[in-house]
Amino acid sequence: MNIILLGPPGAGKGTQAHKLVDERGMVQLSTGDMLRAARTSGTDMGKRVAEVMDRGDLVTDEIVIGLIRERLTDGTQGGGYIFDGFPRTLAQADALSDLMAELGQTLDAVIEMRVDDTALVARITARSTCGDCGEVYNDISKPIPADGKCANCGGTDFKRRADDNEESLKTRLLAYYKQTSPLVGYYHAKGMLNSVNGLGDIDAVAGAIASVLDNA
């Protein structure tokens, strides 16, 4: 089963993707992670990514689709793919649709994680990440364990993103609504869109997503 997780920054896409990886054996395709991995891979595509990023330019849709093509054909499908952070625009959505058709694969569900902006800002400004394994914590909903050690890896180096502040978040949200929110209508028109409340607790959101997948 191949799915897309849609939602603004901080909606919890990464957290839910990790649960799907653990519980269903799915493969998370995060464009940010793929770009970082490609940059140091030494492959031809990786060298293109490194050149673009070293110039400070934005990576083109062609390159991102090329990276996704590599992942979709590397034999690690497992329980299916989770597209996290892609597509971001209508052009990318069309490119992904063409790629999936070319490879004989299907997109089975698009899940929109709906949030309230005010609550989202409060959530993200309370967010911190384990510097060793990337596990995400939140002062409100998932605080760092009382012993000060990451529950996943035991690390003690916790970081807050420099752009996890109210002004930066408003800018990122504006960019999301301008570029990505049209995808909600795009996938609704295709009869593929499912919406869940992204502001519930982690297990409640996971349950809603599981219900969508089990009925897809």
Side-chain angles (χ1 to χ4, degrees), residues 159-177:
K159 305 177 184 294
R160 290 193 190 270
R161 280 178 48 166
D163 58 352
D164 276 354
N165 60 73
E166 190 165 346
E167 288 307 311
S168 292
L169 286 169
K170 288 179 179 177
T171 301
R172 287 156 62 195
L173 285 170
L174 180 61
Y176 170 79
Y177 289 122

Side-chain angles (χ1 to χ4, degrees), residues 87-116:
R88 292 182 184 272
T89 65
L90 293 174
Q92 290 178 354
D94 283 336
L96 179 60
S97 177
D98 291 344
L99 175 61
M100 298 291 278
E102 176 190 335
L103 298 178
Q105 298 206 38
T106 59
L107 188 61
D108 301 290
V110 178
I111 300 173
E112 177 200 13
M113 298 177 65
R114 287 188 174 176
V115 296
D116 171 82

Side-chain angles (χ1 to χ4, degrees), residues 58-85:
L58 292 174
V59 176
T60 63
D61 288 356
E62 177 192 3
I63 289 176
V64 176
I65 283 288
L67 290 174
I68 291 174
R69 178 192 297 275
E70 286 186 350
R71 291 299 306 274
L72 292 179
T73 56
D74 68 3
T76 59
Q77 183 170 3
Y81 292 102
I82 307 162
F83 294 97
D84 172 15

Side-chain angles (χ1 to χ4, degrees), residues 21 35 45 52 55-56 77 89 105 112-113 116 121 186:
V21 169
L35 288 170
M45 183 63 74
V52 172
R55 290 197 306 267
Q77 183 170 3
T89 65
Q105 298 206 38
E112 177 200 13
M113 298 177 65
D116 171 82
V121 169
Y186 176 94

Side-chain angles (χ1 to χ4, degrees), residues 173-195:
L173 285 170
L174 180 61
Y176 170 79
Y177 289 122
K178 286 175 64 176
Q179 294 183 347
T180 310
S181 62
L183 294 176
V184 173
Y186 176 94
Y187 286 115
H188 175 75
K190 288 177 174 285
M192 302 174 66
L193 185 72
N194 302 269
S195 297

